[in-house]
Amino acid sequence: MLQGVPETFEAPPPFRFVHNRWRCEAYHYAELLTWLKENKIRNQVARWQRLKLSLHDPREPHDYQLEALDAWLAAEKRGSVVIPTGAGKTFIALHAMHKVNASTIILVSTVSLLYQWYVVLTNMFQTEIGVYYHAEKKILPITVTTYHSAGDLIAEHGNEFRLLICDEVHHLPAKTWGEAALMTPAPYRLGLTATYPEDAEQAGERWRLDDLLGPIVYTKRIEALLGKQLADYRTQRIRVNLTPAERVEYDTTHKLYTSYIQERRLRSSHGPNWLHELFRLSNFDVQARQALLARQRLWEIIEGCQEKLAVLEQLLREYAHERILIFTESNALAYQLSRQYLIPAITHETGVAERKHILDAFQEGRYRALVTAKVLNEGVDVPEAKVAIILGGSSSKREYIQRLGRILRKRELKQAILFEILVRKTIEESKAQRRRVAKEDC
């Protein structure tokens, strides 16, 4: 906001004269610095601190990590880095913080990630780290917050941070979450992800990352790291059939579901947003609600069908000597498998202490298998595993790549294996075929 400047003053485009003041969104701050100096306007925006950070980690960055850091620095410390899961995005961010050496705010998607960043930052810099979320609000020169809580923090303290880091930045285009980056004047911005959002995911009312953070400054494909920094891998799809009884229920339920979608022409009228429209209609349309419940039942039949679970049991026996991650789409199936095979389950209901115990025991080899419902898809550091089994083909291309990344951290010369168990002649099979994730996509 410009104070003491009349409406007749010719302010540059980002400014608008609103409520008797020239105003603009805070994220334009970096591009206005030269103009402010040329016009001798006193700048009272910045409240961030210079820091004296030192690195307490003997590991040297890989060549590609140095390339990513150099590319970001060359882009005036603005933009996103896109590298595979397990390739060390956090390590790049820590070195970026060391280069900037000023107050930094880190945005993450979950509280679990917030705790993880807190530990990593404390170990790397040997200094006190702030956290800001629903259970604790401690603001320090280096603070970690969630996308959900960032708006409140930045509304009051946004000008206290010179560097904004957005982990799992594919979440940022969401309308409410993107506003956090909009409100901070932080001139330096770094986005991190393994799955940069497509243009369609940044359209409509969603924000564009180019505007909020800057362009993609560095990308490294997974195939360039396989066998070097990441383990080589193979994927295998195993197709199974429904039993006669399961097929009868599936076909009946599928007809109920698709009849409504076709009658209302949701796909043709709403394109990629047809499912959102179905959810909206289900709030007041009985038939829409029945169609939505039918869709849910279809996935329950698919995920828990007898042959799929029989194949899972066979794989658990075949790879009993390896650490195995099992991914389900629902908490219910995760808990069912946990009881049936006496293996731990991690869901969004699992507390922090219990989750840490499970992951530590998995790392130490006391647990040979672990089942999870979406929680470990992204971000969270999962101990080394070389076998992953996906029981639900409803996952998106992004989730598929994230799950693959869970088994790619290289610790020894072993090939990682990703099994995806699909049911023939179902919506699961057709969705998996449309996904078609190749190595060059990762």
Side-chain angles (χ1 to χ4, degrees):
M1 180 176 66
L2 301 178
Q3 294 182 334
V5 179
E7 185 176 1
T8 54
F9 181 76
E10 293 185 7
F15 283 101
R16 291 175 296 167
F17 199 76
V18 180
H19 297 304
N20 297 318
R21 294 284 191 277
W22 285 103
R23 307 170 189 268
C24 74
E25 293 91 345
Y27 77 110
H28 291 296
Y29 176 73
E31 66 190 72
L32 292 171
L33 284 174
T34 301
W35 178 83
L36 292 172
K37 291 178 182 178
E38 290 175 349
N39 288 270
K40 298 180 180 179
I41 296 176
R42 188 169 65 171
N43 184 353
Q44 296 180 305
V45 172
R47 291 289 186 270
W48 44 74
Q49 301 179 30
R50 292 186 179 276
L51 304 179
K52 295 181 179 179
L53 299 175
S54 56
L55 301 173
H56 296 266
D57 190 325
R59 292 177 298 164
E60 290 293 326
H62 294 297
D63 289 344
Y64 68 89
Q65 291 174 318
L66 291 173
E67 291 170 2
L69 183 61
D70 289 342
W72 181 72
L73 294 172
E76 299 182 343
K77 305 184 184 73
R78 295 175 68 87
S80 295
V81 171
V82 185
I83 61 175
T85 300
K89 293 183 291 293
T90 303
F91 201 61
I92 295 171
L94 296 172
H95 282 262
M97 292 175 63
H98 184 243
K99 290 288 185 181
V100 172
N101 243 326
S103 303
T104 300
I105 182 171
I106 300 105
L107 275 57
V108 301
S109 54
T110 65
V111 175
S112 297
L113 273 174
L114 179 145
Y115 290 136
Q116 182 173 299
W117 269 91
Y118 174 83
V119 172
V120 170
L121 289 164
T122 301
N123 292 339
M124 175 61 89
F125 298 123
Q126 299 291 298
T127 189
E128 195 173 3
I129 304 298
V131 294
Y132 190 98
Y133 66 112
H134 66 274
E136 186 176 356
K137 294 176 170 57
K138 185 177 184 179
I139 304 168
L140 292 172
I142 298 176
T143 296
V144 190
T145 185
T146 61
Y147 284 106
H148 183 75
S149 300
D152 292 339
L153 170 59
I154 289 175
E156 295 294 328
H157 303 275
N159 63 341
E160 296 175 16
F161 301 99
R162 194 176 195 185
L163 172 60
L164 167 69
I165 296 176
C166 297
D167 193 17
E168 306 295 348
V169 74
H170 49 270
H171 293 294
L172 192 62
K175 184 174 176 59
T176 54
W177 287 3
E179 290 176 354
L182 194 79
M183 293 190 295
T184 175
Y188 305 143
R189 296 164 181 241
L190 172 61
L192 304 168
T193 186
T195 53
Y196 198 80
E198 303 287 345
D199 286 342
E201 298 176 279
Q202 303 180 67
E205 294 186 346
R206 298 172 71 84
W207 302 102
R208 293 194 61 81
L209 292 183
D210 280 10
D211 297 331
L212 297 179
L213 302 182
I216 296 175
V217 295
Y218 186 82
T219 300
K220 179 65 75 172
R221 296 289 189 182
I222 196 170
E223 71 272 11
L225 304 179
L226 292 175
K228 300 172 185 176
Q229 285 77 29
L230 295 179
D232 199 359
Y233 75 95
R234 67 180 174 90
T235 61
Q236 183 174 344
R237 284 180 171 170
I238 302 174
R239 286 174 167 80
V240 299
N241 297 306
L242 295 174
T243 65
E246 290 169 341
R247 173 56 66 183
V248 169
E249 183 182 4
Y250 177 88
D251 289 343
T252 302
T253 307
H254 185 261
K255 184 177 181 180
L256 173 62
Y257 165 57
T258 56
S259 294
Y260 182 83
I261 305 301
Q262 292 167 357
E263 287 172 8
R264 297 298 295 262
R265 298 181 179 178
L266 293 184
R267 292 182 188 274
S268 59
S269 61
H270 290 81
N273 297 316
W274 70 269
L275 186 56
H276 294 291
E277 177 64 9
L278 178 60
F279 275 102
R280 188 188 71 81
L281 292 171
S282 70
N283 289 318
F284 53 85
D285 185 328
V286 175
Q287 288 183 317
R289 180 64 178 166
Q290 290 175 339
L292 195 60
L293 290 174
R295 182 178 186 273
Q296 178 181 325
R297 180 56 188 155
L298 285 176
W299 286 114
E300 290 173 353
I301 296 169
I302 290 168
E303 188 180 39
C305 75
Q306 289 184 26
E307 282 197 19
K308 183 176 283 193
L309 298 183
V311 170
L312 170 64
E313 184 167 338
Q314 180 181 335
L315 291 174
L316 288 173
R317 286 199 298 264
E318 183 176 347
Y319 293 93
H321 58 289
E322 298 284 3
R323 289 184 191 149
I324 302 172
L325 289 175
I326 305 167
F327 292 96
T328 71
E329 291 294 309
S330 67
N331 287 350
L333 183 59
Y335 292 138
Q336 175 188 326
L337 296 177
S338 177
R339 291 190 298 268
Q340 184 172 348
Y341 297 108
L342 299 179
I343 57 178
I346 292 181
T347 72
H348 72 276
E349 298 172 333
T350 308
V352 174
E354 183 183 1
R355 184 178 306 188
K356 183 179 184 303
H357 166 77
I358 292 172
L359 292 176
D360 287 347
F362 189 66
Q363 172 71 60
E364 294 163 5
R366 288 186 281 131
Y367 295 141
R368 304 301 296 179
L370 176 61
V371 59
T372 180
K374 291 182 177 284
V375 174
L376 302 182
N377 277 356
E378 66 180 22
V380 177
D381 277 341
V382 178
E384 178 199 2
K386 280 292 172 278
V387 178
I389 303 171
I390 299 177
L391 290 179
S394 67
S395 61
S396 65
K397 177 178 176 180
R398 171 171 295 130
E399 288 178 317
Y400 185 91
I401 293 173
Q402 289 168 338
R403 290 171 173 183
L404 175 61
R406 301 296 94 193
I407 60 172
L408 290 184
R409 287 177 171 84
K410 187 175 182 180
R411 294 292 185 274
E412 51 188 278
L413 297 176
K414 281 187 177 182
Q415 186 184 56
I417 309 172
L418 177 71
F419 293 101
E420 185 175 19
I421 310 175
L422 304 173
V423 183
R424 290 188 180 92
K425 298 180 180 179
T426 64
I427 55 176
E428 176 183 58
E429 186 178 44
S430 58
K431 182 166 186 175
Q433 289 172 341
R434 289 195 303 272
R435 191 188 327 116
R436 291 181 181 175
V437 178
K439 286 190 176 183
E440 58 268 19
D441 294 324
C442 301

